Amino acid sequence: MDKKTKIIAIANHKGGCGKTTTTVNLASELAKIGLSVLMIDLDPQANASLHIGKDHPSEVSVTIAELLLSEKEKLPLAVHDDTHIKGVSLIYGSLELGKAEDKLKDDAPRPSEELREKINPLIGLYDVILIDCPPSLKLLTSNALAAATDLIIPIESGSQYGLYGVTDLLHHLQKIHRINPDLNLLGALLIRHDQRLTVCKLIEGAAKDQIGKLIPVKIPSSTKINQAAMAQTSIREIDHTAKVAREFRRLALWLAEALDLSTDEQNQNVGLDMEADDE
Ligand SMILES: Nc1ncnc2c1ncn2[C@@H]1O[C@H](COP(=O)(O)OP(=O)(O)OP(=O)(O)O)[C@@H](O)[C@H]1O
Ligand SMILES: [Mg+2]
């Protein structure tokens, strides 16, 4: 039976707010609870590809850059099922995405709708497609938002500048609603959140006011995040008892429920009964 694929864009043009970390660890947790997951790396920096891909992005013949500029026939060559994270497939990002973005702007009949068009045959094959967006509000992000069914906006909660520019993102979203009226804002996801810190509490309140919706799971800060990226794995594989691993699991479970995705019940509680013992 065809799956009712949800396409979730992880977007915020503010650099370094946790988009890639969220995409990778959420993908891993969604796979662990029994969902089939594809990750699309739409960032020229290709950090998500460097994190979970078994090949170097520069050596991959069909990345998302080639796919965006080619016919749909290239799609099967673009999807790599064998990655460092079990159960997570990958369409690689590439430095060439910058050039692809310029070409789309000049040549494509509907520049913002190429991704939607190209990945359409994947609908029904995966439970979830996660799109890691670049730190810009240009055409690549527009393509992600036009293709997505749902949107998560990561906000760096530990920084006083965490919400800087968010109104631009919300304006952009309004424009995208004209081509993708069903796009559902799941909410802001607070990253590096620590309830004890005043700055985090202030950002939490401001995020609720400005974005309107807060995801009821908050991701704490942890040095294990960088360790996991260097080891090309998920935080869970580095330390499954870490609070941050547990919160990513809770995020996956919340999402599965919010989007009505049927998970593998046996795996649902893995990690949730652990004591929080992060650094
Ligand atoms: N919860 C966290 N705790 C500690 N460090 C984190 C956390 N989340 C992300 N980081 C670190 O912050 C940096 C930025 O994270 P990440 O690359 O996920 O952000 P990004 O939004 O994808 O950045 P870019 O805009 O460049 O694509 C990375 O070094 C990452 O390891
Ligand atoms: Mg990133």
Side-chain angles (χ1 to χ4, degrees), residues 20 43 47 132:
T20 303
D43 185 351
N47 291 344
D132 184 25

Side-chain angles (χ1 to χ4, degrees), residues 128-260:
V128 181
I129 298 178
L130 291 177
I131 308 177
D132 184 25
C133 293
S136 104
L137 271 186
K138 293 199 292 189
L139 206 45
L140 291 171
T141 297
S142 300
N143 267 272
L145 297 176
T149 55
D150 298 272
L151 166 65
I152 292 175
I153 304 178
I155 298 289
E156 195 186 344
S157 151
S159 158
Q160 67 271 41
Y161 306 119
L163 282 161
Y164 184 73
V166 83
T167 43
D168 295 336
L169 176 60
L170 297 173
H171 282 144
H172 194 69
L173 209 52
Q174 277 175 358
K175 283 194 236 157
I176 294 290
H177 269 130
R178 281 185 233 147
I179 49 175
N180 185 8
D182 296 331
L183 178 61
N184 170 42
L185 172 62
L186 286 162
L189 175 66
L190 298 175
I191 307 283
R192 292 183 170 214
H193 187 78
D194 183 341
Q195 200 59 41
R196 295 165 301 184
L197 300 182
T198 306
V199 63
C200 291
K201 280 190 255 178
L202 290 172
I203 291 281
E204 178 176 2
K208 186 149 197 313
D209 287 348
Q210 293 185 32
I211 298 174
K213 276 183 177 176
L214 276 187
I215 294 178
V217 177
K218 294 158 195 159
I219 306 299
S221 197
S222 169
T223 53
K224 285 167 189 140
I225 299 247
N226 284 335
Q227 277 178 45
M230 286 182 77
Q232 293 188 297
T233 188
S234 64
I235 294 151
R236 174 166 302 279
E237 299 303 323
I238 295 288
D239 180 359
H240 70 284
T241 67
K243 186 175 180 207
V244 68
R246 197 178 56 164
E247 293 308 306
F248 275 118
R249 168 61 55 96
R250 279 170 25 89
L251 177 63
L253 291 172
W254 176 82
L255 202 61
E257 197 176 326
L259 299 178
D260 199 19

